Amino acid sequence: MSQTDALPPRGRPRLPRQSGPATHEMTVEDLSACTGVSVRNIRAYQTAGLLPPPRLRGRLGLYDSEHQGKLELIRDLRQQGFRLETIKDMLEHTPEGAWSEYALISELFSTTFFTVEAPARKHIAEMAAHWGATATPEQRERLSRNGLYRRVGDTDEFEILSPALERIGIQLADLKVPLDTVLDLQDALIEHMRAIARAYVQQVFLAKIKGLTLQAQEKVSQAGARRPTVEMSAAEELKAFFERLRPLAIGSISAAFPVVLQQEFDAAVAGELKRKE
């Protein structure tokens, strides 16, 4: 299964969905065409339990607007780098019938919403040259999987998603810090940053989105309608909230790290002194 599915060009309108019972039915090929998700991935998502099976008419499987909305959400989350296990957990805690609302909100945020700098592209030989060495196959593999570098096709070029962090790596090379040590530091950084990012996403960002969809459901329930619809004004308000929260989330890392670094340094030195007594 591919890491990402094709994302429809921005501004292209989605197919309309019925606000009442799901009467707009389509084959898996039609569903694939209107969402940009391959037939293979649609069936893989069903096998993984992310997407419910189609309604059968004889041997023909038919999908409706709920399938489409949920699939669009899965596609957009995959585009933003979420793993299937994380998406499955999110879907299990998403209010029933809110898939299209989540897809709408997801569409408000491009895959670069939280990005503060443009990626750069370099050949692996140029990257390793700062250490006066040739990158080993193991080091290339580490770059491919740590999340900060993206291999360009089957070439030895990599897209560097954080040029600022790469510049720090070059300065570490100038200080004669070995390449493997720099990669170890990056792996540890990514592991802990991912845990912090996941906490922000789950406890703040998704919590806010869930609150929005629940409010929409309450309005629908009071109005006697069949399914919730998030108003665009509310979605834009949510985007403004995220834009204000973004620098706070990023800044909290810079603010806390010097304190924790000093504490860890002091504890390590004290431990070494005690060990030598």
Side-chain angles (χ1 to χ4, degrees):
M1 180 165 49
S2 64
Q3 286 294 312
T4 57
D5 294 304
L7 188 63
R10 278 217 175 268
R12 190 181 86 177
R14 298 181 186 276
L15 290 182
R17 300 194 189 94
Q18 304 296 325
S19 59
T23 57
H24 177 70
E25 293 187 320
M26 64 195 98
T27 65
V28 67
E29 290 79 13
D30 293 334
L31 182 62
S32 174
C34 71
T35 61
V37 181
S38 67
V39 171
R40 178 184 177 186
N41 279 355
I42 291 174
R43 288 175 173 149
Y45 294 154
Q46 288 175 201
T47 302
L50 278 73
L51 196 67
R55 184 180 72 83
L56 292 178
R57 181 192 294 165
R59 298 182 63 181
L60 179 65
L62 294 174
Y63 299 80
D64 57 29
S65 57
E66 287 296 313
H67 287 97
Q68 180 184 342
K70 194 169 186 179
L71 183 58
E72 286 171 346
L73 175 59
I74 295 169
R75 179 204 63 200
D76 293 349
L77 290 173
R78 291 290 282 160
Q79 283 282 336
Q80 295 175 33
F82 286 89
R83 297 177 180 274
L84 290 180
E85 312 86 73
T86 304
I87 295 175
K88 185 175 182 180
D89 180 67
M90 291 164 58
L91 293 178
E92 287 175 350
H93 294 89
T94 300
E96 188 64 33
W99 320 121
S100 58
E101 279 64 39
Y102 270 63
L104 167 65
I105 293 167
S106 178
E107 194 174 67
L108 289 174
F109 304 92
S110 71
T111 56
T112 59
F113 178 76
F114 292 98
T115 303
V116 295
E117 56 183 341
R121 183 179 292 190
K122 279 189 178 181
H123 193 280
I124 186 68
E126 183 183 358
M127 296 165 63
H130 298 290
W131 283 267
T134 301
T136 65
E138 292 77 15
Q139 289 168 340
R140 298 182 189 203
E141 176 61 25
R142 291 182 70 177
L143 287 178
S144 297
R145 68 170 184 263
N146 72 8
L148 293 178
Y149 306 88
R150 191 159 49 209
R151 186 185 287 273
V152 180
D154 295 327
T155 70
D156 277 336
E157 280 193 325
F158 283 83
E159 190 176 38
I160 303 169
L161 302 184
S162 177
L165 190 60
E166 195 240 356
R167 290 192 292 271
I168 292 174
I170 294 172
Q171 293 178 61
L172 290 172
D174 291 340
L175 293 172
K176 308 303 181 185
V177 178
L179 176 56
D180 279 328
T181 301
V182 173
L183 292 176
D184 288 340
L185 290 172
Q186 285 191 0
D187 286 346
L189 176 69
I190 294 165
E191 178 185 358
H192 294 290
M193 291 303 98
R194 200 172 297 283
I196 295 170
R198 189 176 296 115
Y200 265 104
V201 168
Q202 295 288 347
Q203 298 175 28
V204 181
F205 293 101
L206 288 184
K208 190 74 173 179
I209 293 174
K210 288 177 182 177
L212 183 65
T213 56
L214 286 172
Q215 288 177 8
Q217 281 191 318
E218 290 176 1
K219 290 182 181 179
V220 165
S221 178
Q222 294 170 1
R226 291 184 177 274
R227 63 187 305 270
T229 300
V230 173
E231 297 176 1
M232 182 56 71
S233 60
E236 291 292 351
E237 181 182 341
L238 182 69
K239 185 174 183 179
F241 170 81
F242 280 10
E243 287 175 340
R244 290 190 61 186
L245 187 60
R246 174 175 50 188
L248 300 179
I250 296 172
S252 66
I253 307 300
S254 299
F257 186 69
V259 176
V260 176
L261 180 62
Q262 184 67 57
Q263 292 172 347
E264 288 299 310
F265 179 80
D266 293 344
V269 170
E272 287 297 312
L273 292 174
K274 186 175 182 180
R275 185 177 64 81
K276 292 180 179 179
E277 289 178 354

